[in-house]
Amino acid sequence: MINNPFQIIRDTTPNADIPRGATIALGNFDGVHLGHRTVIEAALTMAKSAHQPAFALTFEPHPRSLFKPDAPPFRLTDETTKLRLLAGTGLDGAIVLTFDAARAATPAQEFINHELIERLGVSGISIGDDFHFGKGRGGTPATLVEWGRQRGIPVHVQSHVGLADMPISSSAIRAALAEGRVRDATAMLGSPWFVNGTVIHGAKRGRDLGYPTANIRLAPHVDLQHGIYAVRVGRGGGRELLGGVASYGRRPTFDNGDALLEVFLFDFSGSLYDEVLDVAFIEYLRPERKFDDLAALVRQMDDDSIRARAVLRAAPDSFPTLGQVTG
């Protein structure tokens, strides 16, 4: 876990509190995957050369929430989770700009003038070759390259990043998770995909079966494949890591209700109610299915636990690098 101070700058941050001259990595950064990290690495390199801090500049909420309100996206990372991942990359902070109708209607040149020049006084920019900004997506990497050329400000444009024959994108990672291809998602992210949530009370059936679970309700648009997973769980912001096996789905043996994440932690006893946990998905073990009787279910849970322990032993350090975020 990274503990360096990580500054959050928002629309409401007074100009006097904004460090001028930083280099910025510009993007939405949903998932903070390997492609995003190459953009960030370029910003860090420029910042070191210029003896300036490096920041990510991103937007919240996700632009699709504004443009397609009836079809909210499956976000790989909510705002806090994204910031914690960004804080783990070595950046000095993040600039989080509110994406609303007014910002969507702002021409690209006005965005450059107000945000990049007047507020930030940037000394360098790193951007992916497919990122657009400003009204009608009129701002392009080429726009920034020409602007930087005229002012002597370096602009790095990162070409698309792939992994073997697998192009890396947030959309590709969402598709992998929806199909249970956790290893592919991990490879594209550079570390396991994880969720963060508060433990709630459930039906307490697991306790009666010898498998008490920590239950977490995920966001309604999380399109994760229903099934059983080997997981690693972080408590206290990730300072304590525990192994476990988790079910995500509708519990067809019992109630076939709303999707719920149920996590059984190995070698742990005690109450977790109201605790906030990070749950990293290490491997997909099997699909969710209905059992004819509870004895068959318990036998399968025993087998799932054995398999999950073996997966975790084979990947002892598999957990995302997170930083601390305040504000």
Side-chain angles (χ1 to χ4, degrees):
M1 180 178 216
I2 304 296
N3 295 309
N4 296 333
F6 189 77
Q7 183 180 3
I8 307 297
I9 296 170
R10 301 186 183 274
D11 297 285
T12 55
T13 302
N15 287 347
D17 295 337
I18 299 175
R20 292 183 59 80
T23 65
I24 64 164
L26 176 60
N28 282 320
F29 299 118
D30 187 27
V32 195
H33 57 60
L34 289 180
H36 297 147
R37 290 173 185 270
T38 60
V39 173
I40 290 167
E41 282 298 324
L44 289 167
T45 298
M46 285 191 286
K48 184 177 181 181
S49 177
H51 304 287
Q52 295 287 358
F55 282 72
L57 192 157
T58 189
F59 303 88
E60 288 291 339
H62 194 286
R64 184 172 168 178
S65 299
L66 178 70
F67 295 129
K68 296 183 179 181
D70 296 331
F74 165 20
R75 292 193 56 170
L76 298 173
T77 46
D78 61 20
E79 179 180 340
T80 299
T81 300
K82 177 168 67 174
L83 291 175
R84 292 173 70 202
L85 284 166
L86 289 172
T89 65
L91 289 166
D92 296 285
I95 301 145
V96 183
L97 301 183
T98 302
F99 195 86
D100 53 16
R103 177 142 280 132
T106 301
Q109 191 59 53
E110 184 179 332
F111 174 82
I112 291 172
N113 291 339
H114 178 66
E115 299 295 345
L116 303 186
I117 299 175
E118 295 174 12
R119 287 194 86 210
L120 301 173
V122 298
S123 62
I125 297 173
S126 179
I127 187 173
D129 64 359
D130 59 351
F131 187 79
H132 293 69
F133 61 97
K135 182 179 179 180
R137 293 168 54 85
T140 67
T143 304
L144 288 173
V145 168
E146 176 58 22
W147 169 79
R149 185 190 66 77
Q150 294 175 5
R151 291 162 177 78
I153 295 174
V155 177
H156 171 84
V157 179
Q158 176 61 48
S159 58
H160 199 76
V161 174
L163 196 65
D165 59 348
M166 187 165 51
I168 296 173
S169 69
S170 298
S171 296
I173 295 166
R174 294 185 194 107
L177 292 171
E179 296 168 6
R181 293 186 288 112
V182 171
R183 290 189 180 184
D184 286 348
T186 299
M188 288 185 279
L189 287 165
S191 62
W193 180 68
F194 81 106
V195 296
N196 175 272
T198 302
V199 178
I200 61 175
H201 288 269
K204 299 178 173 59
R205 298 188 189 97
R207 181 184 303 172
D208 296 334
L209 299 174
Y211 282 91
T213 59
N215 302 321
I216 297 173
R217 188 81 63 187
L218 302 187
H221 305 294
V222 169
D223 192 19
L224 175 67
Q225 174 71 48
H226 288 188
I228 310 303
Y229 294 83
V231 297
R232 184 163 282 116
V233 177
R235 299 178 70 196
R239 287 184 290 272
E240 178 186 5
L241 298 180
L242 300 165
V245 61
S247 168
Y248 180 65
R250 302 179 62 190
R251 305 161 304 285
T253 302
F254 297 105
D255 58 12
N256 212 38
D258 294 335
L260 184 69
L261 178 63
E262 302 173 282
V263 183
F264 172 67
L265 294 176
F266 300 141
D267 310 313
F268 175 84
S269 62
S271 174
L272 291 169
Y273 292 125
D274 299 322
E275 278 201 39
V276 177
L277 302 179
D278 297 317
V279 182
F281 293 80
I282 310 302
E283 181 62 282
Y284 178 71
L285 300 179
R286 65 171 177 86
E288 183 179 46
R289 65 187 179 93
K290 184 175 181 178
F291 292 86
D292 294 331
D293 58 68
L294 295 184
L297 171 60
V298 171
R299 286 195 298 272
Q300 183 63 63
M301 293 168 73
D302 291 342
D303 182 64
D304 294 338
S305 296
I306 292 170
R307 292 182 61 199
R309 285 182 183 272
V311 166
L312 296 172
R313 282 196 300 271
D317 301 318
S318 191
F319 197 77
T321 299
L322 304 172
Q324 291 184 322
V325 174
T326 59

